[in-house]
Amino acid sequence: MENVTKAILVCILGIATMLFTRDRGRVPPLSTRNLNLSYDYIIVGGGTAGSVLANRLTEDPEVTVLLLEAGDEETNKPMYDIPWNAPRSQMTEADWIYRTVPQKTSCLAMKDRTMIWPRGKGLGGSTLVNGLVYIRGSRYDFEEWFANGCDGWNYEDVLPYFIKLEDYRIFDKHVDPGDDV
Ligand SMILES: Cc1cc2nc3c(=O)[nH]c(=O)nc-3n(C[C@H](O)[C@H](O)[C@H](O)COP(=O)(O)OP(=O)(O)OC[C@H]3O[C@@H](n4cnc5c(N)ncnc54)[C@H](O)[C@@H]3O)c2cc1C
């Protein structure tokens, strides 16, 4: 009888520990600990476009922005920062794990004629699963679009934004944890 009591106690202790650690694992990431009651802008998707948009909007300190992202933070995973290594994060938790429908004229050598269709899931979006290759758009494309009526999209108009992007500086907290950036 004494052994049965001990076994029950051990079970209760085990379940309690499991529940306790599971709840601790759910502590929201740093970026979501302080939420306002309302925001000027809510952006759904912290990928390439959403993150840039949020950053641009918050250049005005009066503006409040909530950036909602379905996936995780990528901060502590340097694998996403290594060019051509990022494809290794495809079909992981950083990917929506989509597959195409069976193809009629392609994917002939693939199982069921389907292939994976990577899309990033997490802060950074598809840059988590992409090749990290950067190249300026062709001058001639922009000039053609402008000639066809896209005001403000001439190459000379967009060039300052390319240059701004190419001068982006990341202050990495892992390099110097003492820095208060
Ligand atoms: C395999 C691959 C390789 C590539 N290689 C290159 C490259 O080398 N160089 C290059 O310039 N481009 C490359 N690209 C293209 C580039 O990565 C994408 O064009 C770009 O990241 C798309 O940006 P986006 O903001 O439109 O979407 P994404 O960056 O995909 O962002 C969308 C975000 O929205 C989130 N989201 C979706 N639904 C919800 C929801 N309901 N609620 C909350 N969040 C949600 C997603 O999780 C994701 O974070 C590549 C793309 C792929 C797939």
Side-chain angles (χ1 to χ4, degrees):
M1 191 62 192
E2 199 180 314
N3 283 345
V4 174
T5 314
K6 273 184 192 164
I8 290 171
L9 278 175
V10 166
C11 281
I12 291 172
L13 205 62
I15 291 167
T17 308
M18 202 179 72
L19 290 175
F20 178 71
T21 48
R22 195 179 62 170
D23 282 348
R24 284 184 68 81
R26 282 187 190 154
V27 171
L30 190 65
S31 51
T32 57
R33 275 191 203 144
N34 301 308
L35 288 173
N36 295 348
L37 287 175
S38 67
Y39 288 86
D40 297 321
Y41 298 94
I42 296 177
I43 300 170
V44 180
T48 315
S51 303
V52 170
L53 188 59
N55 185 52
R56 289 278 291 166
L57 286 168
T58 52
E59 281 176 8
D60 178 351
E62 300 297 314
V63 166
T64 56
V65 179
L66 177 64
L67 180 63
L68 291 174
E69 171 50 51
D72 210 346
E73 291 186 274
E74 55 101 7
T75 325
N76 295 321
K77 295 179 185 164
M79 67 184 272
Y80 303 133
D81 300 333
I82 303 169
W84 292 109
N85 190 48
R88 290 185 63 190
S89 55
Q90 293 168 11
M91 303 303 280
T92 70
E93 78 283 354
D95 188 352
W96 282 90
I97 313 190
Y98 293 136
R99 293 196 81 91
T100 66
V101 295
Q103 301 295 295
K104 291 194 178 93
T105 55
S106 59
C107 300
L108 304 185
M110 305 288 193
K111 186 172 181 283
D112 301 327
R113 289 198 174 177
T114 71
M115 62 185 292
I116 63 166
W117 197 259
R119 296 306 303 176
K121 185 180 185 183
L123 273 182
S126 292
T127 64
L128 301 176
V129 295
N130 80 4
L132 296 180
V133 176
Y134 169 74
I135 191 166
R136 276 189 200 176
S138 164
R139 163 187 287 274
Y140 301 106
D141 283 340
F142 288 99
E143 283 172 359
E144 198 181 324
W145 294 333
F146 180 71
N148 281 291
C150 287
D151 285 342
W153 285 90
N154 200 8
Y155 190 69
E156 299 308 322
D157 296 324
V158 297
L159 185 59
Y161 297 100
F162 280 129
I163 292 171
K164 186 178 181 188
L165 179 70
E166 288 158 13
D167 191 37
Y168 183 58
R169 295 164 200 214
I170 297 174
F171 298 96
D172 191 337
K173 67 182 174 191
H174 302 295
V175 173
D176 185 359
D179 264 1
D180 230 3
V181 185

